[in-house]
Amino acid sequence: MTPTIAIILMMCIGFCFGWKEIAYSYSDIHVPDILSVKPFLACLAVSMTVGMGLMILHKGQHLLTSYDDIVVMMVSMLLTISILSTVNCHFSTVTAFWGTVLSMAVIHEGGVSKSTWTVVLLSVMAAPVLSVICSLLFHQLIQRYIVNQKKHLLVKQYYAKWLAYIGVVLCGIALTCNYALMINAFITPLLYKVSIAGWILWLLLIVMSIVCLSPVLIYVYQRPRNGMMTRHLPSLYALTSVLALFNFLLPLIVAPLPSVIVPANLLKEGNIIALERGKEQKRLLNIVTIAIATPMLSYLICSLLAPIYQRPHVFWVLVPFVLLVCLSIRLSYKQYIKGRNVSRMLNDEIRRSDERSNELNRLDVMAVTSQFDSMSREMDFKHKELIDLSLFVKQQRDYMTGVGEQLRRLSQERDPEHIRKSLIDIDKDLKDTLRYPPEMEQIYQQVEKMHRDFISRLQMRCPNLTKRESRLAILLRLGFSSKEIANMVNLETKSVEINRYRLRKKLRLDRSENLVSYLQLL
């Protein structure tokens, strides 16, 4: 039963490695821009086969020998990954592995040996620095020999596509070898514990490879196309070069040194900072969580679980409980984020609806206000017109009253010559008065200017109207009666009525239609 649990733990670690190491390494290269699913699967299958074959042929030193240590280390790594995933932090299975290695060295040997410290420092510090240098170097080479060349754009894309093809395969081989080195450290003690045939070992490696690659397709092919694959080609080749150097070349150069397992996503974060501008603070925070927080947390968890492992019942109750708590917190957090996003969307929709309603209300208020102002101005003008007309009527009445007094005085005169001259003067004044005075002409001009639209519509209905008839229509529209109009223009009421009849006839109104209402609605 225990080897089965160990294999399940290795499958989980392989899935996490494929998620945070292999898939993350391919994420920014935008594989959908250059490869469809089947060629990409073929490239990864070749990479995994070659990588696993190289690891089987490779005979390096192993850091671990105890089967019990392997179980504790894998459980500690899974708990570390679960806790960091719960708080939504970046992590690396490799740095978690180094944290457990340091913890086991302290527990069994009382301290960390110089060779172990050297391997850890090379993996966590030297490899990222060298990867940044290599990415800048490859960036300069690609810019000089592909991007800046005076060639057709399709030719440049063709070269970049084949570089991406080769880079995907080579990087897949390097990542597989790096992953196989870590798994090999776990499998070796398991072989000592349980006798496994060679074909079963190969089958186990194939299954673990499939588990490791499963998140790659999910993660990589969710990325949108952007046509910017040349930007991340330097990172892909730098990652491949550094992994090959630390996995194979360095142990050959320094004979006692074992193969160095490198955190690929840590290298990728450094490459992104070197090649891109923007979000440097977030990338540096990811580097800190991968290079410092992850190994420290795995070191503490492994140090706490190692004594508890001697009591299997407590150990196998505590571990699932912690995993379930982390899973519950993670699901609750996702549900909380989902609810918050839905709430924010609803609030935004309500806010936009309120803004639209406020804007419509504002427009309605502006329209009503504008209409009210227009009506107010029209009423003020009409009020001024009425005042002017009233003053004019008063002046005419005062004048007529004066004429009547003159006539009464003449009736008492005895001198015929004086009476004759006075009557001639009165007749001359009456003739001058019958003409429109300048004030009245000015009033008519203002009225015609204010009712220009009305006059235009009236002339469209009846083009043969005279100027006197147009003015009569305006006075009727303003609400003056025939008697008031007669007093204004010094005519008899009967004459005004005759003019109204002629106006009705020209407008072709029926007897049932009211002339004033018709003019007011026009």
Side-chain angles (χ1 to χ4, degrees):
M1 185 66 183
T2 310
T4 305
I5 295 176
I7 292 173
I8 294 173
L9 293 174
M10 279 190 288
M11 297 290 182
C12 296
I13 293 172
F15 181 84
C16 295
F17 187 91
W19 174 29
K20 282 297 181 180
E21 307 282 339
I22 299 178
Y24 188 71
S25 300
Y26 287 133
S27 60
D28 290 328
I29 194 65
H30 290 274
V31 174
D33 286 336
I34 55 174
L35 292 174
S36 58
V37 178
K38 292 182 179 179
F40 182 63
L41 281 174
C43 292
L44 287 181
V46 172
S47 303
M48 295 297 289
T49 304
V50 175
M52 288 295 178
L54 289 174
M55 281 300 99
I56 291 174
L57 296 176
H58 177 67
K59 295 182 180 180
Q61 298 182 13
H62 302 293
L63 298 172
L64 310 171
T65 57
S66 173
Y67 171 79
D68 294 335
D69 293 345
I70 293 299
V71 175
V72 174
M73 289 175 64
M74 287 192 294
V75 171
S76 301
M77 290 173 62
L78 287 178
L79 290 179
T80 302
I81 292 169
S82 300
I83 293 172
L84 291 175
S85 298
T86 302
V87 297
N88 202 22
C89 289
H90 273 249
F91 61 88
S92 171
T93 53
V94 175
T95 53
F97 170 75
W98 287 126
T100 57
V101 169
L102 295 177
S103 177
M104 286 300 173
V106 172
I107 291 173
H108 294 297
E109 300 175 8
V112 182
S113 63
K114 186 179 294 186
S115 61
T116 304
W117 270 119
T118 302
V119 171
V120 174
L121 293 177
L122 286 174
S123 174
V124 179
M125 297 183 64
V129 175
L130 184 60
S131 179
V132 169
I133 296 172
C134 291
S135 63
L136 293 174
L137 178 62
F138 281 114
H139 177 71
Q140 292 296 327
L141 293 174
I142 291 174
Q143 289 291 320
R144 176 178 298 180
Y145 295 105
I146 295 180
V147 178
N148 296 331
Q149 288 291 318
K150 295 181 179 180
K151 296 180 180 179
H152 196 275
L153 181 61
L154 294 177
V155 177
K156 294 179 181 180
Q157 290 181 350
Y158 177 78
Y159 289 158
K161 184 174 182 178
W162 275 104
L163 277 177
Y165 267 113
I166 298 170
V168 167
V169 175
L170 293 179
C171 189
I173 294 172
L175 289 169
T176 304
C177 293
N178 191 57
Y179 161 69
L181 279 174
M182 186 174 65
I183 296 300
N184 195 21
F186 292 140
I187 289 179
T188 303
L190 185 62
L191 293 176
Y192 293 136
K193 182 77 176 180
V194 181
S195 177
I196 300 179
W199 67 273
I200 297 179
L201 178 59
W202 270 104
L203 180 62
L204 178 61
L205 292 175
I206 291 173
V207 172
M208 293 183 68
S209 300
I210 295 172
V211 172
C212 181
L213 291 177
S214 59
V216 177
L217 295 176
I218 300 172
Y219 193 78
V220 169
Y221 277 90
Q222 286 179 347
R223 307 280 293 185
R225 297 172 178 264
N226 69 347
M228 301 172 65
M229 55 186 174
T230 54
R231 177 181 293 180
H232 298 282
L233 282 176
S235 176
L236 199 66
Y237 278 92
L239 194 63
T240 304
S241 302
V242 172
L243 289 174
L245 175 64
F246 282 85
N247 291 163
F248 293 101
L249 298 180
L250 195 61
L252 295 176
I253 297 171
V254 184
L257 190 70
S259 299
V260 179
I261 308 170
V262 181
N265 54 352
L266 181 60
L267 273 58
K268 185 64 180 294
E269 294 289 344
N271 296 341
I272 293 175
I273 292 177
L275 296 174
E276 294 184 1
R277 293 296 175 266
K279 299 183 179 180
E280 284 86 357
Q281 190 174 10
K282 180 181 178 181
R283 300 297 181 183
L284 288 174
L285 181 61
N286 292 342
I287 289 174
V288 170
T289 56
I290 292 172
I292 298 175
T294 303
M296 287 182 62
L297 182 61
S298 64
Y299 177 89
L300 293 174
I301 292 175
C302 187
S303 300
L304 292 173
L305 289 181
I308 302 176
Y309 185 72
Q310 305 301 325
R311 302 169 63 184
H313 297 289
V314 177
F315 182 85
W316 294 112
V317 170
L318 178 63
V319 171
F321 175 76
V322 175
L323 292 175
L324 288 175
V325 169
C326 292
L327 180 61
S328 301
I329 295 173
R330 181 65 178 174
L331 293 177
S332 301
Y333 178 74
K334 284 188 174 181
Q335 191 66 27
Y336 167 74
I337 294 296
K338 184 178 179 181
R340 189 176 65 179
N341 292 335
V342 171
S343 177
R344 184 170 64 249
M345 291 173 61
L346 290 175
N347 292 332
D348 292 341
E349 185 64 29
I350 292 172
R351 179 177 54 80
R352 286 193 293 269
S353 178
D354 292 340
E355 289 177 354
R356 288 193 295 267
S357 299
N358 294 334
E359 183 66 18
L360 291 175
N361 292 334
R362 187 180 67 83
L363 293 175
D364 291 341
V365 170
M366 289 178 62
V368 172
T369 304
S370 176
Q371 187 176 5
F372 177 76
D373 293 340
S374 177
M375 294 176 63
S376 298
R377 288 193 297 269
E378 187 175 357
M379 290 178 65
D380 292 339
F381 180 75
K382 289 183 177 181
H383 182 66
K384 185 176 181 300
E385 286 179 343
L386 289 174
I387 292 174
D388 293 338
L389 291 174
S390 299
L391 290 174
F392 175 75
V393 171
K394 185 177 181 300
Q395 290 176 358
Q396 295 296 319
R397 286 179 179 177
D398 292 342
Y399 175 76
M400 292 300 176
T401 303
V403 170
E405 290 178 357
Q406 288 180 7
L407 291 175
R408 281 193 297 272
R409 285 195 300 270
L410 286 176
S411 65
Q412 298 175 0
E413 289 287 340
R414 300 295 181 184
D415 186 4
E417 186 67 22
H418 181 265
I419 293 172
R420 188 179 64 81
K421 290 182 179 180
S422 298
L423 289 175
I424 291 172
D425 293 336
I426 291 173
D427 181 62
K428 184 179 179 179
D429 289 340
L430 284 173
K431 288 180 179 179
D432 293 338
T433 305
L434 286 175
R435 298 190 186 98
Y436 285 112
E439 294 82 1
M440 190 65 188
E441 186 65 28
Q442 185 177 2
I443 290 172
Y444 273 123
Q445 290 178 359
Q446 292 179 357
V447 170
E448 290 175 356
K449 183 178 180 181
M450 191 68 184
H451 297 273
R452 185 178 301 168
D453 295 338
F454 167 73
I455 294 174
S456 300
R457 292 192 295 270
L458 185 64
Q459 289 178 350
M460 289 177 64
R461 293 293 303 270
C462 187
N464 58 349
L465 285 180
T466 65
K467 187 174 182 179
R468 185 181 295 274
E469 288 170 344
S470 299
R471 289 181 173 179
L472 176 62
I474 292 174
L475 294 174
L476 290 173
R477 190 170 188 266
L478 291 174
F480 292 105
S481 63
S482 298
K483 186 177 181 180
E484 291 172 340
I485 294 172
N487 292 330
M488 291 179 190
V489 297
N490 291 322
L491 292 175
E492 295 182 358
T493 306
K494 186 176 181 180
S495 299
V496 175
E497 292 291 342
I498 292 171
N499 291 333
R500 289 184 62 165
Y501 174 76
R502 291 174 180 170
L503 181 62
R504 288 179 59 90
K505 190 174 181 181
K506 286 188 176 182
L507 293 174
R508 298 178 182 179
L509 297 179
D510 297 334
R511 292 183 179 181
S512 59
E513 292 185 84
N514 187 278
L515 176 61
V516 177
S517 301
Y518 175 81
L519 293 174
Q520 289 177 347
L521 294 174
L522 187 62

